[in-house]
Amino acid sequence: MARPDKVDAVEEMRDKFRNSNGAVVTAYTGLTVAQLQQLRRSLGENAQYRVAKNTLTKIAANEAGITTIDDLFTGSSAVAFVTGDPVEAAKGLRDFAKDNPNLVIKGGVLDGKALSADEIKKLADLESREVLLSKLAGAFKAKQSQAASVFQALPSKLVRTVDALRAKQDEQGGAE
């Protein structure tokens, strides 16, 4: 018979798996409690870092329909549940791991697709969603100004062409 506290833990993690955009599984052996608190703060509002037993985490992931990361639940494991921008959470984990080599990114899942540790590091190298959107808006604005200058050039070019044709006709008319 399952203990109520374990059932509650599985239900809580299952809901986190279902309600998050992604999850990153890490090994945390050798990190102090203070370092884990610092990691949680560095992840900010976008992610929640949860240390749990592998068996319970695996059951919760499977109940949430995620079976692609079962092999990651070996040794000491903790999960960062990402609810906001996954790039920001990946950057937070990568930067913390640089300063604290005891944190090892094992892999994860993003929108139902399994990610390797290398893929999560590549995700961390992307710019944030806000930066990408502002670059896209800037590109649209630049294209609009280019189009506006082309549209403004067309009437003046037409006028110059018509004037040149008139001048040519006048020259030809005077030559006869």
Side-chain angles (χ1 to χ4, degrees):
M1 176 115 193
R3 291 190 358 217
D5 58 333
K6 290 184 179 183
V7 172
D8 292 342
V10 169
E11 286 176 7
E12 178 188 346
M13 283 190 294
R14 181 193 63 222
D15 291 342
K16 287 182 189 244
F17 273 114
R18 285 184 180 160
N19 297 328
S20 62
N21 303 339
V24 180
V25 182
T26 65
Y28 65 93
T29 302
L31 292 177
T32 64
V33 173
Q35 289 172 322
L36 287 174
Q37 288 175 338
Q38 180 184 0
L39 171 59
R40 286 183 174 104
R41 280 193 301 273
S42 71
L43 291 175
E45 300 285 323
N46 289 330
Q48 288 184 325
Y49 194 71
R50 171 83 192 260
V51 175
K53 292 184 178 275
N54 287 328
T55 307
L56 300 180
T57 309
K58 190 175 182 180
I59 291 169
N62 289 336
E63 286 182 8
I66 301 169
T67 58
T68 56
I69 58 173
D70 285 352
D71 59 326
L72 300 178
F73 299 119
T74 57
S76 68
S77 298
V79 182
F81 295 99
V82 182
T83 53
D85 185 9
V87 173
E88 205 171 304
K91 282 182 185 191
L93 287 167
R94 179 200 59 195
D95 294 344
F96 188 85
K98 281 182 185 176
D99 297 334
N100 300 283
N102 288 333
L103 181 75
V104 178
I105 297 172
K106 294 180 175 183
V109 63
L110 179 63
D111 294 327
K113 181 188 177 291
L115 299 175
S116 67
D118 289 335
E119 290 172 321
I120 291 172
K121 289 174 186 168
K122 286 179 185 175
L123 183 65
D125 292 337
L126 292 176
E127 293 175 335
S128 71
R129 182 177 189 272
E130 290 76 22
V131 170
L132 291 174
L133 286 174
S134 65
K135 283 185 176 183
L136 182 64
F140 280 142
K141 185 176 180 184
K143 291 296 179 190
Q144 286 176 341
S145 357
Q146 287 174 349
S149 60
V150 166
F151 291 136
Q152 286 175 346
L154 287 175
S156 63
K157 188 173 183 178
L158 178 65
V159 168
R160 286 193 304 271
T161 305
V162 169
D163 286 342
L165 283 172
R166 258 193 217 134
K168 189 172 184 179
Q169 284 178 345
D170 289 344
E171 284 176 17
Q172 288 176 351
E176 288 179 28

